[in-house]
Coordinates of all heavy atoms in Angstrom, one line a residue:
M1 N 62.3 8.7 -54.6 CA 63.6 9.2 -55.0 C 63.4 10.2 -56.2 O 62.8 9.9 -57.2 CB 64.5 8.1 -55.5 CG 66.0 8.5 -55.5 SD 67.0 7.1 -55.7 CE 67.7 7.5 -57.3
P2 N 63.8 11.4 -56.0 CA 63.6 12.4 -57.1 C 64.5 12.0 -58.4 O 65.5 11.4 -58.2 CB 64.2 13.7 -56.6 CG 65.1 13.4 -55.5 CD 64.6 12.0 -55.0
R3 N 63.9 12.3 -59.5 CA 64.6 12.0 -60.7 C 65.8 12.9 -61.0 O 65.7 14.1 -60.9 CB 63.7 12.1 -61.9 CG 64.1 11.3 -63.1 CD 63.0 11.3 -64.1 NE 62.7 12.7 -64.5 CZ 62.0 13.0 -65.6 NH1 61.6 12.1 -66.4 NH2 61.8 14.3 -65.8
N4 N 66.9 12.2 -61.2 CA 68.2 13.0 -61.4 C 68.4 13.2 -62.9 O 68.6 12.3 -63.6 CB 69.3 12.3 -60.8 CG 70.6 13.1 -60.8 OD1 70.7 14.0 -61.6 ND2 71.5 12.8 -60.0
E5 N 68.3 14.5 -63.3 CA 68.4 14.8 -64.8 C 69.8 14.5 -65.3 O 70.0 14.5 -66.5 CB 68.0 16.2 -65.0 CG 66.6 16.6 -64.7 CD 65.6 16.0 -65.6 OE1 65.9 15.6 -66.7 OE2 64.4 15.9 -65.2
N6 N 70.7 14.3 -64.4 CA 72.1 14.2 -64.9 C 72.5 12.7 -65.0 O 73.6 12.4 -65.5 CB 73.1 14.9 -63.9 CG 72.9 16.4 -63.9 OD1 72.7 17.0 -64.9 ND2 72.9 16.9 -62.7
L7 N 71.6 11.8 -64.6 CA 72.0 10.4 -64.8 C 71.9 10.0 -66.3 O 71.0 10.5 -67.0 CB 70.9 9.5 -64.1 CG 71.0 9.4 -62.6 CD1 69.9 8.6 -62.0 CD2 72.3 8.9 -62.1
P8 N 72.9 9.2 -66.8 CA 72.9 8.9 -68.2 C 71.8 7.9 -68.6 O 71.4 7.9 -69.7 CB 74.3 8.2 -68.4 CG 74.7 7.7 -67.0 CD 74.0 8.7 -66.0
G9 N 71.3 7.2 -67.6 CA 70.2 6.2 -67.9 C 70.8 4.9 -68.4 O 72.0 4.7 -68.6
V10 N 69.9 4.0 -68.7 CA 70.3 2.6 -69.1 C 70.9 2.7 -70.5 O 70.3 3.4 -71.4 CB 69.0 1.7 -69.2 CG1 69.4 0.3 -69.6 CG2 68.3 1.7 -67.8
P11 N 72.0 2.1 -70.8 CA 72.6 2.1 -72.1 C 71.6 1.6 -73.2 O 70.9 0.6 -73.0 CB 73.8 1.2 -72.0 CG 74.1 1.1 -70.5 CD 72.8 1.2 -69.9
L12 N 71.7 2.3 -74.3 CA 70.8 1.9 -75.4 C 70.9 0.4 -75.8 O 70.0 -0.2 -76.2 CB 71.0 2.8 -76.7 CG 70.8 4.3 -76.5 CD1 71.1 5.0 -77.8 CD2 69.5 4.6 -75.9
G13 N 72.2 0.0 -75.8 CA 72.4 -1.4 -76.2 C 71.7 -2.4 -75.3 O 71.3 -3.5 -75.8
Q14 N 71.5 -2.0 -74.1 CA 70.8 -2.9 -73.2 C 69.3 -2.8 -73.4 O 68.6 -3.8 -73.0 CB 71.2 -2.4 -71.7 CG 71.1 -3.5 -70.7 CD 71.7 -3.0 -69.4 OE1 72.8 -2.4 -69.3 NE2 70.9 -3.1 -68.3
L15 N 68.8 -1.7 -73.9 CA 67.3 -1.6 -74.1 C 66.9 -2.2 -75.4 O 65.7 -2.4 -75.6 CB 67.0 -0.1 -74.1 CG 67.0 0.6 -72.7 CD1 66.9 2.1 -72.9 CD2 65.9 0.1 -71.8
L16 N 67.9 -2.4 -76.3 CA 67.6 -2.9 -77.6 C 66.8 -4.2 -77.5 O 67.1 -5.1 -76.8 CB 68.9 -3.1 -78.4 CG 68.8 -3.3 -79.9 CD1 68.1 -2.0 -80.5 CD2 70.2 -3.4 -80.5
G17 N 65.7 -4.2 -78.2 CA 64.8 -5.4 -78.2 C 63.7 -5.3 -77.1 O 62.8 -6.1 -77.1
E18 N 63.9 -4.4 -76.2 CA 62.9 -4.3 -75.1 C 62.2 -3.0 -75.2 O 61.0 -2.9 -74.7 CB 63.7 -4.3 -73.8 CG 64.2 -5.7 -73.4 CD 64.9 -5.7 -72.1 OE1 64.6 -4.8 -71.2 OE2 65.8 -6.5 -71.9
A19 N 62.8 -1.9 -75.7 CA 62.2 -0.6 -75.7 C 62.6 0.1 -76.9 O 63.6 -0.2 -77.6 CB 62.6 0.2 -74.4
N20 N 61.9 1.2 -77.2 CA 62.3 2.1 -78.3 C 62.6 3.5 -77.6 O 62.5 3.6 -76.4 CB 61.2 2.2 -79.3 CG 61.2 1.0 -80.2 OD1 62.1 0.6 -80.8 ND2 60.0 0.3 -80.1
L21 N 62.9 4.4 -78.4 CA 63.3 5.7 -77.8 C 62.2 6.7 -78.0 O 61.7 7.0 -79.1 CB 64.6 6.2 -78.5 CG 65.2 7.5 -77.9 CD1 66.7 7.4 -77.8 CD2 64.7 8.7 -78.6
L22 N 61.7 7.3 -76.9 CA 60.7 8.3 -76.9 C 61.3 9.6 -76.7 O 62.0 9.9 -75.8 CB 59.7 8.0 -75.7 CG 58.6 9.0 -75.6 CD1 57.6 9.0 -76.8 CD2 57.7 8.7 -74.3
L23 N 61.1 10.4 -77.7 CA 61.6 11.8 -77.8 C 60.6 12.8 -77.4 O 59.5 12.8 -78.0 CB 62.2 12.1 -79.2 CG 62.9 13.4 -79.4 CD1 64.2 13.5 -78.6 CD2 63.2 13.5 -80.9
I24 N 60.8 13.6 -76.4 CA 59.8 14.6 -75.9 C 60.4 16.0 -76.0 O 61.5 16.2 -75.5 CB 59.4 14.2 -74.5 CG1 58.9 12.8 -74.4 CG2 58.3 15.2 -74.0 CD1 58.8 12.3 -73.0
C25 N 59.6 16.9 -76.6 CA 60.1 18.3 -76.6 C 59.7 18.9 -75.2 O 58.6 18.8 -74.8 CB 59.3 19.0 -77.7 SG 59.6 20.8 -77.6
L26 N 60.7 19.4 -74.5 CA 60.5 20.0 -73.2 C 59.7 21.3 -73.3 O 59.1 21.7 -72.3 CB 61.8 20.2 -72.5 CG 62.6 19.0 -72.1 CD1 63.9 19.3 -71.5 CD2 61.8 18.2 -71.1
H27 N 59.7 21.9 -74.4 CA 59.0 23.2 -74.6 C 57.5 23.0 -74.8 O 56.7 23.7 -74.2 CB 59.6 23.9 -75.8 CG 59.2 25.4 -75.9 ND1 59.7 26.3 -75.0 CD2 58.4 26.0 -76.7 CE1 59.1 27.4 -75.3 NE2 58.4 27.3 -76.3
C28 N 57.1 22.1 -75.7 CA 55.7 22.0 -76.1 C 55.1 20.6 -75.9 O 53.9 20.4 -76.2 CB 55.4 22.5 -77.5 SG 56.0 21.3 -78.7
Q29 N 55.9 19.7 -75.4 CA 55.5 18.3 -75.1 C 55.2 17.5 -76.3 O 54.6 16.4 -76.3 CB 54.2 18.3 -74.2 CG 54.4 19.1 -72.9 CD 55.6 18.5 -72.1 OE1 55.7 17.4 -71.8 NE2 56.5 19.4 -71.7
W30 N 55.6 18.0 -77.5 CA 55.5 17.1 -78.7 C 56.3 15.9 -78.5 O 57.4 15.9 -77.9 CB 56.0 17.9 -79.9 CG 56.0 17.1 -81.2 CD1 55.0 17.0 -82.1 CD2 57.1 16.3 -81.8 NE1 55.4 16.3 -83.2 CE2 56.7 15.8 -83.0 CE3 58.4 16.0 -81.3 CZ2 57.4 15.0 -83.8 CZ3 59.2 15.2 -82.1 CH2 58.7 14.6 -83.3
R31 N 55.8 14.7 -78.9 CA 56.6 13.5 -78.7 C 56.5 12.6 -79.9 O 55.5 12.6 -80.6 CB 56.1 12.8 -77.4 CG 54.6 12.5 -77.4 CD 54.3 11.8 -76.1 NE 54.6 12.6 -74.9 CZ 54.7 12.1 -73.7 NH1 54.7 10.8 -73.5 NH2 55.0 12.9 -72.7
E32 N 57.5 11.8 -80.0 CA 57.6 10.8 -81.1 C 58.4 9.6 -80.6 O 59.4 9.8 -79.9 CB 58.2 11.4 -82.3 CG 58.2 10.6 -83.5 CD 56.9 10.8 -84.3 OE1 56.6 11.9 -84.8 OE2 56.1 9.8 -84.3
T33 N 58.0 8.4 -81.0 CA 58.8 7.2 -80.7 C 59.7 6.9 -81.9 O 59.2 6.9 -83.0 CB 57.9 6.1 -80.3 OG1 57.1 6.5 -79.2 CG2 58.7 4.9 -79.9
Y34 N 61.0 6.6 -81.6 CA 61.9 6.2 -82.7 C 62.3 4.8 -82.5 O 62.6 4.4 -81.3 CB 63.1 7.1 -82.7 CG 62.7 8.5 -83.2 CD1 62.2 9.5 -82.3 CD2 62.7 8.8 -84.5 CE1 61.9 10.7 -82.7 CE2 62.4 10.1 -85.0 CZ 61.9 11.0 -84.1 OH 61.5 12.3 -84.5
D35 N 62.5 4.1 -83.5 CA 63.0 2.7 -83.5 C 64.4 2.8 -83.0 O 65.3 3.4 -83.5 CB 63.0 2.2 -85.0 CG 63.5 0.7 -85.0 OD1 64.5 0.4 -84.5 OD2 62.7 -0.1 -85.6
L36 N 64.6 2.1 -81.8 CA 65.9 2.2 -81.2 C 67.1 1.7 -82.0 O 68.2 2.2 -82.0 CB 65.9 1.4 -79.8 CG 67.0 1.6 -78.9 CD1 67.1 3.1 -78.5 CD2 66.9 0.8 -77.6
Q37 N 66.8 0.6 -82.8 CA 67.9 0.1 -83.7 C 68.4 1.2 -84.6 O 69.5 1.4 -84.9 CB 67.4 -1.1 -84.4 CG 68.5 -1.7 -85.4 CD 69.7 -2.2 -84.6 OE1 69.6 -3.3 -83.9 NE2 70.8 -1.6 -84.7
K38 N 67.4 2.0 -85.2 CA 67.7 3.0 -86.1 C 68.5 4.1 -85.5 O 69.4 4.7 -86.0 CB 66.4 3.6 -86.8 CG 65.9 2.6 -87.9 CD 64.7 3.3 -88.6 CE 64.0 2.3 -89.5 NZ 62.7 2.7 -89.8
V39 N 68.0 4.5 -84.2 CA 68.7 5.5 -83.5 C 70.2 5.1 -83.2 O 71.1 6.0 -83.5 CB 68.0 5.8 -82.1 CG1 68.8 6.7 -81.2 CG2 66.6 6.3 -82.3
I40 N 70.4 3.9 -82.8 CA 71.8 3.4 -82.6 C 72.6 3.5 -83.9 O 73.7 4.0 -83.9 CB 71.8 2.0 -82.0 CG1 71.2 2.1 -80.6 CG2 73.2 1.4 -82.0 CD1 71.0 0.7 -79.9
S41 N 72.0 3.1 -85.0 CA 72.7 3.1 -86.3 C 73.1 4.5 -86.7 O 74.2 4.8 -87.2 CB 71.8 2.5 -87.4 OG 71.5 1.2 -87.1
Q42 N 72.2 5.4 -86.4 CA 72.4 6.8 -86.8 C 73.6 7.4 -85.9 O 74.4 8.1 -86.4 CB 71.2 7.7 -86.6 CG 70.2 7.5 -87.7 CD 68.8 8.1 -87.4 OE1 68.6 8.8 -86.4 NE2 67.9 7.9 -88.3
L43 N 73.6 7.0 -84.7 CA 74.7 7.4 -83.8 C 76.0 6.8 -84.3 O 77.0 7.5 -84.4 CB 74.4 7.0 -82.3 CG 73.3 7.7 -81.6 CD1 73.0 7.0 -80.3 CD2 73.7 9.2 -81.4
Q44 N 76.0 5.6 -84.6 CA 77.2 4.9 -85.1 C 77.7 5.6 -86.4 O 78.9 5.8 -86.5 CB 76.9 3.4 -85.5 CG 76.3 2.6 -84.4 CD 77.2 2.0 -83.4 OE1 78.1 2.7 -82.9 NE2 77.1 0.7 -83.1
A45 N 76.8 6.0 -87.2 CA 77.2 6.6 -88.5 C 77.9 8.0 -88.2 O 78.7 8.5 -89.0 CB 75.9 6.9 -89.3
R46 N 77.6 8.6 -87.0 CA 78.3 9.8 -86.7 C 79.6 9.6 -85.8 O 80.2 10.5 -85.3 CB 77.4 10.6 -85.8 CG 76.2 11.3 -86.5 CD 75.6 12.2 -85.5 NE 74.2 12.3 -85.6 CZ 73.4 12.6 -84.6 NH1 73.9 12.9 -83.4 NH2 72.1 12.7 -84.8
G47 N 79.9 8.3 -85.7 CA 81.1 8.0 -84.9 C 80.9 7.9 -83.4 O 81.8 7.9 -82.6
V48 N 79.6 7.9 -83.0 CA 79.2 7.8 -81.6 C 78.9 6.3 -81.3 O 78.3 5.6 -82.1 CB 78.0 8.6 -81.2 CG1 77.6 8.5 -79.8 CG2 78.2 10.1 -81.6
N49 N 79.5 5.8 -80.2 CA 79.2 4.5 -79.8 C 77.8 4.3 -79.2 O 77.6 4.3 -78.0 CB 80.3 4.0 -78.8 CG 80.3 2.5 -78.7 OD1 79.4 1.8 -79.1 ND2 81.4 1.9 -78.1
G50 N 76.8 4.2 -80.1 CA 75.4 4.2 -79.8 C 75.0 3.3 -78.6 O 74.3 3.7 -77.7
P51 N 75.4 2.0 -78.7 CA 74.9 1.1 -77.6 C 75.3 1.5 -76.2 O 74.7 1.1 -75.3 CB 75.6 -0.2 -78.0 CG 75.8 -0.1 -79.5 CD 76.1 1.3 -79.8
L52 N 76.4 2.3 -76.1 CA 76.9 2.7 -74.8 C 76.3 4.0 -74.3 O 76.4 4.4 -73.1 CB 78.4 2.8 -74.8 CG 79.2 1.6 -75.0 CD1 80.7 1.8 -74.9 CD2 78.8 0.5 -73.9
I53 N 75.5 4.7 -75.2 CA 74.9 6.0 -74.8 C 73.7 5.7 -73.9 O 72.9 4.8 -74.2 CB 74.4 6.7 -76.0 CG1 75.6 7.1 -76.9 CG2 73.7 8.0 -75.6 CD1 76.6 8.0 -76.4
G54 N 73.6 6.3 -72.8 CA 72.5 6.1 -71.8 C 71.2 6.7 -72.5 O 71.3 7.7 -73.2
I55 N 70.1 6.1 -72.2 CA 68.8 6.6 -72.7 C 68.5 8.0 -72.4 O 67.9 8.8 -73.2 CB 67.7 5.7 -72.3 CG1 66.3 6.0 -73.0 CG2 67.5 5.7 -70.8 CD1 66.3 5.5 -74.5
C56 N 68.9 8.5 -71.3 CA 68.7 9.9 -70.9 C 69.7 10.9 -71.5 O 69.4 12.0 -72.0 CB 68.7 10.1 -69.4 SG 67.6 9.0 -68.5
D57 N 71.0 10.3 -71.6 CA 72.0 11.1 -72.3 C 71.7 11.3 -73.8 O 72.3 12.2 -74.4 CB 73.3 10.4 -72.1 CG 74.1 11.1 -71.0 OD1 73.6 12.0 -70.4 OD2 75.2 10.6 -70.7
A58 N 71.0 10.4 -74.4 CA 70.7 10.4 -75.8 C 70.2 11.7 -76.2 O 70.4 12.2 -77.4 CB 69.7 9.3 -76.2
R59 N 69.5 12.5 -75.3 CA 69.0 13.8 -75.7 C 70.1 14.8 -76.2 O 69.8 15.7 -77.0 CB 68.2 14.4 -74.6 CG 69.0 14.9 -73.4 CD 68.1 15.4 -72.3 NE 68.8 16.1 -71.3 CZ 69.4 15.6 -70.2 NH1 69.4 14.3 -70.1 NH2 70.0 16.3 -69.3
H60 N 71.3 14.6 -75.7 CA 72.4 15.4 -76.1 C 72.8 15.2 -77.5 O 73.6 16.0 -78.1 CB 73.6 15.3 -75.2 CG 73.3 15.5 -73.7 ND1 72.8 16.8 -73.3 CD2 73.4 14.8 -72.6 CE1 72.6 16.7 -72.0 NE2 73.0 15.5 -71.6
H61 N 72.3 14.1 -78.1 CA 72.8 13.7 -79.5 C 71.7 14.0 -80.5 O 71.9 13.8 -81.7 CB 73.2 12.3 -79.5 CG 74.3 11.9 -78.6 ND1 75.6 12.1 -79.0 CD2 74.4 11.5 -77.4 CE1 76.4 11.8 -78.0 NE2 75.7 11.4 -77.0
V62 N 70.5 14.5 -80.0 CA 69.5 14.8 -80.9 C 69.8 16.1 -81.6 O 70.0 17.1 -81.0 CB 68.1 15.0 -80.2 CG1 67.0 15.3 -81.2 CG2 67.8 13.7 -79.4
R63 N 69.7 16.1 -83.0 CA 70.1 17.3 -83.7 C 68.9 18.0 -84.3 O 69.0 19.1 -84.8 CB 71.1 16.9 -84.8 CG 72.4 16.6 -84.3 CD 73.4 16.3 -85.4 NE 74.8 16.1 -84.9 CZ 75.8 15.8 -85.6 NH1 75.6 15.6 -86.9 NH2 77.0 15.6 -85.1
Q64 N 67.8 17.3 -84.4 CA 66.6 17.9 -85.0 C 66.0 18.9 -84.1 O 66.2 18.9 -82.9 CB 65.6 16.8 -85.4 CG 64.9 16.2 -84.2 CD 64.0 15.1 -84.6 OE1 64.4 14.0 -85.0 NE2 62.7 15.3 -84.5
T65 N 65.2 19.8 -84.7 CA 64.4 20.8 -83.9 C 63.0 20.2 -83.9 O 62.6 19.5 -84.8 CB 64.5 22.1 -84.6 OG1 64.1 22.0 -85.9 CG2 65.8 22.8 -84.5
C66 N 62.3 20.7 -82.9 CA 60.9 20.3 -82.8 C 60.1 20.7 -83.9 O 60.1 21.9 -84.3 CB 60.3 20.8 -81.5 SG 58.6 20.5 -81.2
P67 N 59.3 19.8 -84.6 CA 58.5 20.2 -85.8 C 57.4 21.1 -85.4 O 56.8 21.8 -86.3 CB 58.0 18.8 -86.3 CG 58.1 17.9 -85.1 CD 59.2 18.4 -84.3
R68 N 57.0 21.1 -84.1 CA 55.9 21.9 -83.7 C 56.3 23.3 -83.3 O 55.7 24.3 -83.7 CB 55.1 21.3 -82.6 CG 53.8 22.0 -82.3 CD 53.2 21.5 -81.0 NE 52.5 20.2 -81.2 CZ 52.2 19.5 -80.1 NH1 52.4 19.9 -78.9 NH2 51.6 18.3 -80.3
C69 N 57.3 23.4 -82.4 CA 57.7 24.7 -81.9 C 59.1 25.2 -82.2 O 59.5 26.3 -81.9 CB 57.5 24.7 -80.3 SG 58.8 23.8 -79.4
G70 N 59.9 24.3 -82.8 CA 61.3 24.7 -83.2 C 62.3 24.7 -82.1 O 63.4 25.0 -82.3
S71 N 61.9 24.2 -80.9 CA 62.8 24.1 -79.8 C 63.8 23.0 -80.0 O 63.6 22.0 -80.8 CB 62.0 23.9 -78.5 OG 62.9 23.6 -77.5
Q72 N 64.9 23.0 -79.3 CA 65.9 21.9 -79.4 C 66.2 21.4 -78.0 O 67.2 20.8 -77.8 CB 67.2 22.4 -80.1 CG 67.4 21.7 -81.4 CD 68.8 22.1 -82.0 OE1 69.2 23.2 -82.0 NE2 69.4 21.1 -82.5
K73 N 65.2 21.6 -77.1 CA 65.4 21.1 -75.8 C 64.6 19.8 -75.7 O 63.4 19.8 -75.7 CB 64.9 22.1 -74.7 CG 65.9 23.2 -74.6 CD 65.6 24.0 -73.3 CE 66.6 25.1 -73.2 NZ 67.4 25.0 -72.0
W74 N 65.3 18.7 -75.6 CA 64.7 17.4 -75.6 C 64.8 16.6 -74.3 O 65.8 16.8 -73.6 CB 65.3 16.5 -76.7 CG 65.1 17.1 -78.1 CD1 66.1 17.7 -78.8 CD2 63.9 17.2 -78.9 NE1 65.6 18.1 -80.0 CE2 64.2 17.8 -80.1 CE3 62.6 16.7 -78.7 CZ2 63.3 18.0 -81.1 CZ3 61.7 17.0 -79.6 CH2 62.0 17.6 -80.8
E75 N 63.9 15.7 -74.1 CA 64.0 14.7 -73.1 C 63.9 13.3 -73.9 O 63.1 13.2 -74.8 CB 62.9 14.8 -72.1 CG 63.1 13.7 -71.0 CD 62.0 13.8 -69.9 OE1 61.4 14.9 -69.8 OE2 61.7 12.7 -69.4
T76 N 64.7 12.4 -73.5 CA 64.6 11.0 -74.1 C 64.4 10.0 -73.0 O 64.9 10.1 -71.9 CB 65.9 10.7 -74.8 OG1 67.1 11.1 -74.1 CG2 66.0 11.4 -76.2
R77 N 63.5 9.1 -73.3 CA 63.1 8.1 -72.3 C 62.9 6.8 -73.1 O 62.6 6.8 -74.3 CB 61.7 8.4 -71.8 CG 61.6 9.6 -70.8 CD 60.2 9.6 -70.2 NE 59.8 10.9 -69.8 CZ 58.6 11.2 -69.5 NH1 57.6 10.4 -69.7 NH2 58.3 12.5 -69.1
P78 N 62.9 5.7 -72.3 CA 62.6 4.4 -72.9 C 61.1 4.3 -73.1 O 60.3 4.8 -72.3 CB 63.1 3.3 -71.9 CG 63.2 4.1 -70.6 CD 63.4 5.5 -70.9
D79 N 60.7 3.8 -74.2 CA 59.2 3.6 -74.5 C 59.1 2.0 -74.6 O 59.5 1.4 -75.6 CB 58.9 4.3 -75.8 CG 57.4 4.0 -76.1 OD1 56.7 3.3 -75.4 OD2 56.9 4.6 -77.1
Y80 N 58.4 1.5 -73.6 CA 58.3 0.0 -73.6 C 57.1 -0.5 -74.4 O 56.8 -1.7 -74.5 CB 58.2 -0.5 -72.2 CG 59.6 -0.3 -71.5 CD1 59.8 0.8 -70.6 CD2 60.6 -1.2 -71.7 CE1 61.0 0.9 -70.0 CE2 61.8 -1.1 -71.0 CZ 62.0 0.0 -70.2 OH 63.2 0.2 -69.6
G81 N 56.3 0.4 -74.9 CA 55.1 0.0 -75.7 C 55.5 -0.5 -77.1 O 56.7 -0.4 -77.4
P82 N 54.5 -1.1 -77.8 CA 54.8 -1.6 -79.1 C 55.2 -0.4 -80.0 O 54.6 0.7 -79.9 CB 53.5 -2.2 -79.6 CG 52.5 -1.6 -78.7 CD 53.1 -1.2 -77.4
Y83 N 56.1 -0.6 -80.9 CA 56.6 0.5 -81.8 C 55.5 0.7 -82.9 O 55.1 -0.1 -83.6 CB 57.9 0.1 -82.5 CG 58.4 1.2 -83.4 CD1 58.6 2.4 -83.0 CD2 58.5 0.8 -84.8 CE1 59.0 3.4 -83.9 CE2 58.9 1.8 -85.7 CZ 59.2 3.1 -85.3 OH 59.5 4.1 -86.1
V84 N 55.1 2.0 -83.0 CA 54.2 2.4 -84.0 C 54.9 3.4 -84.9 O 55.3 4.5 -84.4 CB 52.9 3.0 -83.4 CG1 51.9 3.4 -84.5 CG2 52.3 2.0 -82.4
P85 N 55.2 3.1 -86.1 CA 55.8 4.0 -87.0 C 55.0 5.3 -87.1 O 53.8 5.3 -87.1 CB 55.9 3.3 -88.4 CG 55.7 1.9 -88.1 CD 54.8 1.9 -86.8
P86 N 55.7 6.5 -87.2 CA 55.0 7.8 -87.3 C 54.2 7.8 -88.6 O 54.6 7.4 -89.6 CB 56.1 8.8 -87.3 CG 57.4 8.1 -87.6 CD 57.2 6.6 -87.2
A87 N 53.0 8.4 -88.5 CA 52.2 8.6 -89.6 C 52.8 9.7 -90.5 O 53.2 10.7 -90.0 CB 50.8 9.0 -89.2
T88 N 52.9 9.4 -91.8 CA 53.5 10.4 -92.7 C 52.4 11.0 -93.6 O 51.4 10.3 -93.9 CB 54.7 9.8 -93.5 OG1 54.2 8.6 -94.1 CG2 55.8 9.6 -92.6
Ligands
ZN1 ZN1 58.2 21.6 -79.3

């Protein structure tokens, strides 16, 4: 089955505790995993009902630009691997 880019995806609230959010730049493939609980908290702080946002729809709520290429075209996916905080 071809992937439908318009599907909202599994709600973040349902993924909580099972996956984190993988953010991928569609322009240059830069990627970073974000703690899902923090992502939901940030959405809530903006008045968005974070737990109900689909993992694929979450890309519409990303406000940052890509640190490598400056693009704002994102893809968001669940990341089921162990959470590794970004190196700073
Ligand atoms: Zn990029």
Side-chain angles (χ1 to χ4, degrees):
M1 199 170 112
R3 201 173 55 163
N4 187 337
E5 297 292 339
N6 296 316
L7 286 176
V10 181
L12 299 183
Q14 208 172 307
L15 288 168
L16 198 57
E18 289 180 25
N20 289 298
L21 186 140
L22 179 62
L23 183 64
I24 303 166
C25 172
L26 289 175
H27 191 74
C28 76
Q29 305 303 307
W30 177 89
R31 56 179 62 202
E32 187 84 69
T33 301
Y34 290 88
D35 185 305
L36 192 58
Q37 180 65 70
K38 282 185 191 162
V39 171
I40 290 173
S41 301
Q42 282 167 7
L43 289 170
Q44 307 274 47
R46 286 191 217 155
V48 177
N49 196 343
L52 292 184
I53 300 295
I55 187 75
C56 303
D57 261 0
R59 72 183 193 274
H60 300 303
H61 298 277
V62 179
R63 289 184 175 175
Q64 73 185 67
T65 52
C66 174
R68 189 193 285 166
C69 75
S71 169
Q72 244 186 318
K73 288 196 176 237
W74 299 106
E75 179 179 337
T76 42
R77 287 189 208 165
D79 180 353
Y80 292 97
Y83 177 62
V84 181
T88 47

